[in-house]
Amino acid sequence: MILSDTDILRRLEAGDLVIEPLDDIDLQVQPASVDLRLGREFLEFQHANIPCIHPDSEQETEEYTERVTVDGDDEYILHPGDFVLGTTRERVEIPADLLAHVEGRSSLGRLAIVVHATAGLCDPGYQGQITLELSNLGTAPVALSPGMRISQLTFTELKTEAERPYGEERGSKYQGQEGPQASKIESDHEFGGDQK
């Protein structure tokens, strides 16, 4: 079952679903979703002098990304073909009986801006800000302003609570993240890490 605005508001009031700061409930809570705003931090991918990126190398990941913070009323210009990691301003806490879907807003989609490449889910138990995988598929640069509504979350109620929710006890690598986070795929079991 997908939660309606009534369900979302009820869960927010009860405190088991957390989205903060939620500065304008009337604006941000839509009929079946919650709009999230763009944060100020971005991870830009640099043209590195390496032949390729090895997923199991944390050092290579650090070498080809640069953290950028947008100050004051400045904008972040996303050029055609660019891919950057951004973040939501809001921090979320998803209870064990909900799955959150990260979606783009249609108004930005019509400007060729997409907010996720593959990471469209927040698992039950996830807590933290949400990293956005921002791309400009269009032919013109687009100015993104911190604080603008950039994405939306929809919520699906699970038939039963997750027995093993996302979190520290599972070794979940992005739990509690603040700001955009680069890939931590080197922590995956298949690359010798302890993440399963």
Short mmCIF file of all heavy atoms in Angstrom, two decimals, residues 2-5 8 19 25 27-36 101 103 105 151-155:
data_model
loop_
_atom_site.label_atom_id
_atom_site.label_comp_id
_atom_site.label_asym_id
_atom_site.label_seq_id
_atom_site.Cartn_x
_atom_site.Cartn_y
_atom_site.Cartn_z
N ILE A 2 0.60 2.18 -0.87
CA ILE A 2 1.31 3.45 -0.93
C ILE A 2 0.62 4.44 0.01
O ILE A 2 -0.61 4.54 0.01
CB ILE A 2 1.35 3.99 -2.36
CG1 ILE A 2 2.16 3.02 -3.24
CG2 ILE A 2 1.95 5.39 -2.41
CD1 ILE A 2 2.13 3.34 -4.71
N LEU A 3 1.38 5.16 0.80
CA LEU A 3 0.81 6.09 1.78
C LEU A 3 0.29 7.35 1.09
O LEU A 3 0.94 7.91 0.22
CB LEU A 3 1.85 6.48 2.82
CG LEU A 3 1.94 5.61 4.08
CD1 LEU A 3 2.21 4.16 3.75
CD2 LEU A 3 2.98 6.16 5.03
N SER A 4 -0.88 7.78 1.51
CA SER A 4 -1.45 9.05 1.07
C SER A 4 -0.96 10.17 1.98
O SER A 4 -0.29 9.92 2.99
CB SER A 4 -2.98 8.98 1.14
OG SER A 4 -3.39 8.99 2.51
N ASP A 5 -1.33 11.40 1.64
CA ASP A 5 -0.97 12.53 2.51
C ASP A 5 -1.49 12.34 3.92
O ASP A 5 -0.80 12.63 4.90
CB ASP A 5 -1.43 13.86 1.91
CG ASP A 5 -2.91 13.91 1.56
OD1 ASP A 5 -3.63 12.89 1.70
OD2 ASP A 5 -3.37 14.98 1.12
N ILE A 8 0.80 9.83 5.61
CA ILE A 8 2.12 10.43 5.85
C ILE A 8 2.06 11.38 7.04
O ILE A 8 2.90 11.32 7.94
CB ILE A 8 2.61 11.17 4.59
CG1 ILE A 8 2.92 10.17 3.47
CG2 ILE A 8 3.85 12.02 4.91
CD1 ILE A 8 3.11 10.80 2.11
N ILE A 19 11.08 13.29 9.09
CA ILE A 19 11.64 14.09 8.00
C ILE A 19 11.87 15.48 8.59
O ILE A 19 10.92 16.17 8.94
CB ILE A 19 10.67 14.19 6.79
CG1 ILE A 19 10.33 12.81 6.28
CG2 ILE A 19 11.29 15.05 5.69
CD1 ILE A 19 9.23 12.81 5.21
N ILE A 25 4.95 22.21 5.77
CA ILE A 25 4.17 20.98 5.56
C ILE A 25 3.15 21.15 4.44
O ILE A 25 2.99 20.26 3.61
CB ILE A 25 3.49 20.54 6.88
CG1 ILE A 25 4.56 20.02 7.85
CG2 ILE A 25 2.44 19.47 6.64
CD1 ILE A 25 4.05 19.62 9.20
N LEU A 27 3.29 22.97 1.80
CA LEU A 27 3.95 22.97 0.50
C LEU A 27 4.61 21.63 0.20
O LEU A 27 4.52 21.12 -0.91
CB LEU A 27 5.01 24.08 0.46
CG LEU A 27 5.85 24.19 -0.82
CD1 LEU A 27 4.95 24.60 -2.00
CD2 LEU A 27 6.98 25.18 -0.63
N GLN A 28 5.27 21.05 1.18
CA GLN A 28 6.09 19.87 0.93
C GLN A 28 5.31 18.56 0.92
O GLN A 28 5.70 17.63 0.22
CB GLN A 28 7.23 19.81 1.95
CG GLN A 28 8.28 20.89 1.72
CD GLN A 28 9.41 20.82 2.72
OE1 GLN A 28 9.47 21.59 3.66
NE2 GLN A 28 10.30 19.84 2.52
N VAL A 29 4.25 18.45 1.70
CA VAL A 29 3.48 17.20 1.70
C VAL A 29 2.47 17.27 0.56
O VAL A 29 1.56 18.09 0.56
CB VAL A 29 2.78 16.94 3.06
CG1 VAL A 29 1.93 15.68 2.98
CG2 VAL A 29 3.82 16.82 4.18
N GLN A 30 2.68 16.40 -0.41
CA GLN A 30 1.84 16.32 -1.60
C GLN A 30 0.78 15.23 -1.40
O GLN A 30 0.75 14.58 -0.35
CB GLN A 30 2.73 16.01 -2.82
CG GLN A 30 3.79 17.09 -3.09
CD GLN A 30 3.17 18.41 -3.48
OE1 GLN A 30 2.22 18.48 -4.25
NE2 GLN A 30 3.73 19.50 -2.96
N PRO A 31 -0.11 14.98 -2.36
CA PRO A 31 -1.17 13.99 -2.15
C PRO A 31 -0.69 12.58 -1.78
O PRO A 31 -1.36 11.88 -1.03
CB PRO A 31 -1.90 13.98 -3.50
CG PRO A 31 -1.68 15.35 -4.05
CD PRO A 31 -0.29 15.72 -3.62
N ALA A 32 0.50 12.17 -2.28
CA ALA A 32 1.02 10.84 -1.93
C ALA A 32 2.55 10.86 -1.88
O ALA A 32 3.19 9.85 -2.18
CB ALA A 32 0.52 9.80 -2.93
N SER A 33 3.13 11.98 -1.51
CA SER A 33 4.60 12.08 -1.44
C SER A 33 4.98 13.28 -0.57
O SER A 33 4.13 14.06 -0.17
CB SER A 33 5.18 12.24 -2.85
OG SER A 33 4.77 13.47 -3.42
N VAL A 34 6.29 13.38 -0.32
CA VAL A 34 6.84 14.53 0.40
C VAL A 34 7.99 15.09 -0.45
O VAL A 34 8.91 14.34 -0.81
CB VAL A 34 7.37 14.15 1.80
CG1 VAL A 34 8.00 15.36 2.49
CG2 VAL A 34 6.27 13.56 2.66
N ASP A 35 7.91 16.37 -0.77
CA ASP A 35 8.99 17.03 -1.51
C ASP A 35 10.16 17.30 -0.57
O ASP A 35 9.98 17.79 0.55
CB ASP A 35 8.51 18.36 -2.09
CG ASP A 35 7.57 18.19 -3.27
OD1 ASP A 35 7.50 17.08 -3.84
OD2 ASP A 35 6.90 19.18 -3.62
N LEU A 36 11.36 16.98 -1.05
CA LEU A 36 12.59 17.26 -0.30
C LEU A 36 13.38 18.33 -1.02
O LEU A 36 13.32 18.44 -2.25
CB LEU A 36 13.43 15.99 -0.15
CG LEU A 36 12.75 14.83 0.58
CD1 LEU A 36 13.72 13.65 0.72
CD2 LEU A 36 12.22 15.24 1.94
N HIS A 101 10.71 5.56 -1.62
CA HIS A 101 11.18 5.63 -3.00
C HIS A 101 11.59 7.07 -3.30
O HIS A 101 10.79 7.98 -3.11
CB HIS A 101 10.07 5.22 -3.98
CG HIS A 101 9.46 3.89 -3.67
ND1 HIS A 101 9.88 2.72 -4.25
CD2 HIS A 101 8.45 3.55 -2.83
CE1 HIS A 101 9.17 1.72 -3.78
NE2 HIS A 101 8.30 2.19 -2.92
N GLU A 103 12.21 9.87 -5.83
CA GLU A 103 11.74 10.17 -7.18
C GLU A 103 12.11 11.61 -7.55
O GLU A 103 12.28 12.46 -6.68
CB GLU A 103 10.20 10.04 -7.26
CG GLU A 103 9.66 8.71 -6.79
CD GLU A 103 9.94 7.55 -7.73
OE1 GLU A 103 10.43 7.80 -8.86
OE2 GLU A 103 9.70 6.41 -7.34
N ARG A 105 11.18 15.27 -9.43
CA ARG A 105 9.98 16.09 -9.62
C ARG A 105 9.78 16.29 -11.11
O ARG A 105 10.73 16.57 -11.85
CB ARG A 105 10.14 17.44 -8.91
CG ARG A 105 10.20 17.28 -7.39
CD ARG A 105 10.17 18.62 -6.68
NE ARG A 105 8.93 19.32 -6.99
CZ ARG A 105 8.88 20.59 -7.37
NH1 ARG A 105 9.99 21.30 -7.51
NH2 ARG A 105 7.73 21.17 -7.63
N SER A 151 13.45 16.78 -5.12
CA SER A 151 13.03 15.39 -5.25
C SER A 151 11.82 15.15 -4.37
O SER A 151 11.38 16.04 -3.63
CB SER A 151 14.17 14.44 -4.86
OG SER A 151 14.47 14.57 -3.49
N GLN A 152 11.28 13.95 -4.46
CA GLN A 152 10.16 13.60 -3.60
C GLN A 152 10.30 12.17 -3.13
O GLN A 152 10.95 11.35 -3.79
CB GLN A 152 8.83 13.81 -4.32
CG GLN A 152 8.70 13.10 -5.63
CD GLN A 152 7.45 13.53 -6.39
OE1 GLN A 152 6.61 14.26 -5.89
NE2 GLN A 152 7.32 13.05 -7.61
N LEU A 153 9.74 11.90 -1.97
CA LEU A 153 9.70 10.55 -1.42
C LEU A 153 8.27 10.05 -1.45
O LEU A 153 7.35 10.77 -1.06
CB LEU A 153 10.18 10.53 0.03
CG LEU A 153 11.66 10.66 0.33
CD1 LEU A 153 11.88 10.52 1.83
CD2 LEU A 153 12.48 9.65 -0.42
N THR A 154 8.11 8.83 -1.93
CA THR A 154 6.84 8.13 -1.75
C THR A 154 7.12 6.97 -0.81
O THR A 154 8.28 6.53 -0.68
CB THR A 154 6.27 7.62 -3.09
OG1 THR A 154 7.20 6.71 -3.68
CG2 THR A 154 5.97 8.76 -4.04
N PHE A 155 6.09 6.48 -0.16
CA PHE A 155 6.26 5.45 0.87
C PHE A 155 5.35 4.27 0.59
O PHE A 155 4.16 4.45 0.35
CB PHE A 155 5.95 6.02 2.26
CG PHE A 155 6.81 7.19 2.62
CD1 PHE A 155 6.37 8.48 2.36
CD2 PHE A 155 8.05 7.01 3.19
CE1 PHE A 155 7.16 9.58 2.68
CE2 PHE A 155 8.85 8.10 3.50
CZ PHE A 155 8.40 9.39 3.25
#
